[in-house]
Amino acid sequence: MKTVYLGMRGDIIHPGIINIIKEAEKHGEVLVGLLTDKAIAAHKRLPFLTYEQRKSVIEQIKGVSRVVPQEDWSYVPNLRRYKPDAIIHGDNWKSGTLQKERENVFAVMKELGGEVIEIPYTAGVDSAVLHEARRAIGTTPDVRLKTLRRLIELKPITRILEAHSGLSGLIIENLEIQAEEGTRSFDGIWSSSLTDSTSKGKPDIEAVDLTTRLQDLTNILECTTKPIIFDGDTGGKTEHFVFTVRTLERNGVSAVIIEDKTGLKKNSLFGTAVTQELCPIPEFCEKISAGKRAQVTKDFMIIARLESLIAGFPVQDALSRAAAYVEAGADGVMIHSKEKSGADIKEFCATFRAGHPHVAIILVPTTYNQFTERELSDWGANIVIYANHLLRASYPAMLRAASSILEHSRSLEADSICMPIKEILELIPEGV
Ligand code: SPV
Ligand code: MG
């Protein structure tokens, strides 16, 4: 019996997939190469269902003989490995981004003495459109919450950007660019205390109460599906923090980061003097442990933020605190610094990683922003947070428009730097 290879994501089962399986069956036993979560995450959004869930569905489809993992976005490594007699694919790959892959597949099948079967793409079914529709339907708090841990496990580095409103959240949700590895987009959202309070014209001193922060977060939750990391400032009193954890979890937030400062909280990037006292280690550990005991799901993450370097203490202080916080239950550590060279952060990452191979490291490279994500990942970072850039980009743009109106006593000249009204209406269609 001949073998026919069919590669797929298998996250949405639609008539096109059934058609291609039926067609494949005519040529031999159908061997499905199911893309692993990691292979998908490197190129596209994470699938809604995990590999195991997708596998259990695909295996039950009539005509499928066997399901094997396809660990690479390209079919080629699996074709070499399983040496099927044929591969089947919709003819939609004759144009667009899959063209190069088609050429590679033809070459490899020729080498193996096999065949490439191309069948007309099923009219009216477009996987990309279906995946877009899935996104439009939204998510559930449960699925959103779990996504951060999945991303940390699957991606070399998880890319997070700050949102302070529904509109900025939509940019993070929707923006995609074409890059060398395929589609590049943001993986999730940082709910920043700095940009949330600044957008309200208030200082970043825990002046915006948690209830208000959560109400603002609701605007973001309602129009996005990507995971959210919540900036919990100091976490407040332990007795209050346990409620914060529950509330965030209930809303589908993936993680909270709390910082080991004490007294009136000031933004870490504020001023040059050492302005902040650090929380005694046992007290902060107790807060972390109480939070961990309070959480209901196993997926929610409590991340300890180390302010040692900001407060003028050496890397060693941050390292001993980090070890204690992990012991207390922290699922990750965020190490913060204002040092432009990044040397202190790099040193921290190297030593911490050696002792804790599996604890997530989160970096916020606002000052040491000369390093690329790949470099930060090589240091050992799992998550990079761009903590304030959408707010910082919007303010000069607003100032320019306002100044132009003042200068010209009319808005005509400002039009060229403003989004057309038509586009803004299309951005958020009625009834959505
Ligand atoms: C925030 O975004 O509010 C933060 C990160 O806490 S930072 O501003 O760098 O302290
Ligand atoms: Mg903050």
Side-chain angles (χ1 to χ4, degrees):
M1 187 79 174
K2 290 191 168 177
T3 318
V4 184
Y5 190 86
L6 170 60
M8 64 167 82
R9 264 191 272 184
D11 202 23
I12 299 178
I13 305 302
H14 53 78
I17 289 182
I18 305 299
N19 285 348
I20 202 163
I21 292 172
K22 274 195 186 144
E23 196 53 42
E25 245 190 314
K26 293 181 191 161
H27 300 267
E29 277 190 347
V30 182
L31 173 66
V32 170
L34 188 62
L35 281 156
T36 60
D37 291 354
K38 197 169 186 166
I40 297 174
H43 291 262
K44 300 271 176 191
R45 291 170 72 101
L46 268 189
F48 189 76
L49 301 177
T50 63
Y51 176 84
E52 288 307 325
Q53 290 170 327
R54 290 181 286 122
K55 180 168 182 267
S56 68
V57 173
I58 305 291
E59 278 173 341
Q60 297 306 316
I61 298 179
K62 196 163 150 263
V64 171
S65 296
R66 218 174 125 205
V67 178
V68 294
Q70 183 177 314
E71 279 160 10
D72 200 280
W73 185 251
S74 164
Y75 305 106
V76 171
N78 261 11
L79 295 179
R80 289 197 189 288
R81 181 164 179 190
Y82 294 100
K83 301 185 176 40
D85 300 286
I87 172 172
I88 189 161
H89 201 284
D91 62 2
N92 58 317
W93 67 346
K94 286 184 177 167
S95 59
T97 51
L98 284 175
Q99 245 173 312
K100 183 86 197 114
E101 176 67 4
R102 177 174 180 264
E103 282 170 26
N104 295 340
V105 166
F106 266 90
V108 114
M109 290 310 281
K110 191 170 172 205
E111 193 186 305
L112 296 171
E115 194 192 346
V116 180
I117 306 164
E118 288 178 323
I119 65 160
Y121 205 61
T122 307
V125 195
D126 181 333
S127 279
V129 172
L130 286 173
H131 282 277
E132 186 53 30
R134 183 207 98 188
R135 200 188 54 70
I137 293 165
T139 185
T140 63
D142 178 48
V143 168
R144 190 201 297 252
L145 197 162
K146 285 191 172 94
T147 309
L148 185 66
R149 278 196 194 264
R150 288 178 73 197
L151 286 165
I152 294 171
E153 197 187 310
L154 298 170
K155 296 197 72 169
I157 193 152
T158 297
R159 184 185 295 121
I160 305 285
L161 178 63
E162 160 270 331
H164 52 276
S165 61
L167 195 59
S168 50
L170 276 176
I171 291 178
I172 301 170
E173 181 72 18
N174 295 326
L175 183 66
E176 286 183 348
I177 63 155
Q178 288 311 312
E180 59 189 55
E181 74 280 14
T183 310
R184 191 181 291 171
S185 57
F186 289 97
D187 297 308
I189 297 165
W190 168 238
S191 170
S192 152
S193 69
L194 173 67
T195 65
D196 186 72
S197 52
T198 306
S199 70
K200 295 183 173 60
K202 295 208 163 101
D204 184 19
I205 52 169
E206 283 187 314
V208 180
D209 67 276
L210 184 71
T211 311
T212 314
R213 287 277 313 278
L214 291 169
Q215 280 163 358
D216 295 328
L217 186 65
T218 305
N219 294 328
I220 298 173
L221 284 164
E222 282 177 353
C223 61
T224 61
T225 62
K226 292 188 176 177
I228 295 175
I229 304 179
F230 189 80
D231 176 359
D233 286 323
T234 65
K237 289 190 166 55
T238 299
E239 292 81 348
H240 297 163
F241 181 56
V242 295
F243 285 103
T244 309
V245 167
R246 292 257 173 102
T247 306
L248 293 173
E249 254 192 313
R250 199 167 34 247
N251 281 288
V253 171
S254 301
V256 64
I257 300 187
I258 51 169
E259 51 194 289
D260 57 358
K261 287 173 177 162
T262 192
L264 175 69
K265 194 216 82 158
K266 291 209 174 88
N267 182 271
S268 305
L269 305 176
F270 181 81
T272 48
V274 175
T275 50
Q276 195 77 52
E277 273 183 52
L278 297 187
C279 186
I281 296 178
E283 202 180 301
F284 199 66
C285 285
E286 176 43 32
K287 204 184 287 189
I288 294 167
S289 302
K292 287 309 288 176
R293 286 194 300 273
Q295 78 181 56
V296 177
T297 67
K298 65 175 184 359
D299 300 298
F300 186 75
M301 297 175 76
I302 296 181
I303 296 165
R305 165 170 167 175
L306 300 143
E307 291 287 309
S308 304
L309 305 175
I310 297 283
F313 292 99
V315 171
Q316 189 48 51
D317 184 78
L319 285 166
S320 24
R321 284 176 170 268
Y325 301 161
V326 170
E327 185 70 17
D331 301 287
V333 293
M334 175 193 142
I335 177 73
H336 208 14
S337 172
K338 279 193 285 206
E339 165 67 40
K340 173 75 180 161
S341 77
D344 50 355
I345 296 280
K346 192 174 177 186
E347 184 190 338
F348 174 91
C349 289
T351 316
F352 180 79
R353 184 48 85 225
H356 300 87
H358 305 298
V359 179
I361 298 179
I362 293 89
L363 298 184
V364 182
T366 307
T367 43
Y368 54 100
N369 58 3
Q370 68 273 36
F371 299 106
T372 62
E373 290 159 6
R374 178 162 301 171
E375 288 169 301
L376 301 178
S377 164
D378 288 346
W379 293 2
N382 302 92
I383 299 181
V384 57
I385 300 180
Y386 300 99
N388 41 50
H389 300 79
L390 292 186
L391 183 98
R392 282 169 57 208
S394 66
Y395 188 71
M398 290 193 287
L399 265 187
R400 264 204 311 283
S403 305
S404 169
I405 293 172
L406 279 184
E407 202 179 313
H408 299 98
S409 302
R410 63 183 193 184
S411 69
L412 176 71
E413 290 75 11
D415 256 6
S416 61
I417 54 165
C418 290
M419 187 178 183
I421 295 288
K422 183 172 175 293
E423 266 180 39
I424 204 143
L425 295 175
E426 281 166 2
L427 179 68
I428 305 164
E430 278 179 36
V432 174

